Amino acid sequence: MYICICHAVTEKDIQKAVGKGASSVARLSELTLLGTQCGCCTEHANQVLNQCASKS
């Protein structure tokens, strides 16, 4: 599922970023550009990030 339409960031991209040590939306933004255009995705991205972190 796409989380950030502006930069075509998917849930799998977030999972990969978490695997590389991302633990915040700011770090996800650095790795994927998520939320750097319109910012509408950051809340949902944070939810996905928390889900991924809880599975680890």
Side-chain angles (χ1 to χ4, degrees), residues 15-33:
Q15 292 168 351
K16 289 177 189 176
V18 169
K20 293 179 181 180
S23 60
S24 67
V25 172
R27 184 67 179 134
L28 283 176
S29 294
E30 291 173 5
L31 294 172
T32 66
L33 296 179

Side-chain angles (χ1 to χ4, degrees), residues 6-51:
C6 297
H7 293 288
V9 179
T10 65
E11 193 169 334
K12 287 186 180 192
D13 294 326
I14 293 174
Q15 292 168 351
K16 289 177 189 176
V18 169
K20 293 179 181 180
S23 60
S24 67
V25 172
R27 184 67 179 134
L28 283 176
S29 294
E30 291 173 5
L31 294 172
T32 66
L33 296 179
L34 177 141
T36 60
Q37 191 158 345
C38 75
C40 292
C41 60
T42 56
E43 186 174 327
H44 191 213
N46 192 46
Q47 292 172 357
V48 173
L49 177 68
N50 290 334
Q51 289 172 352

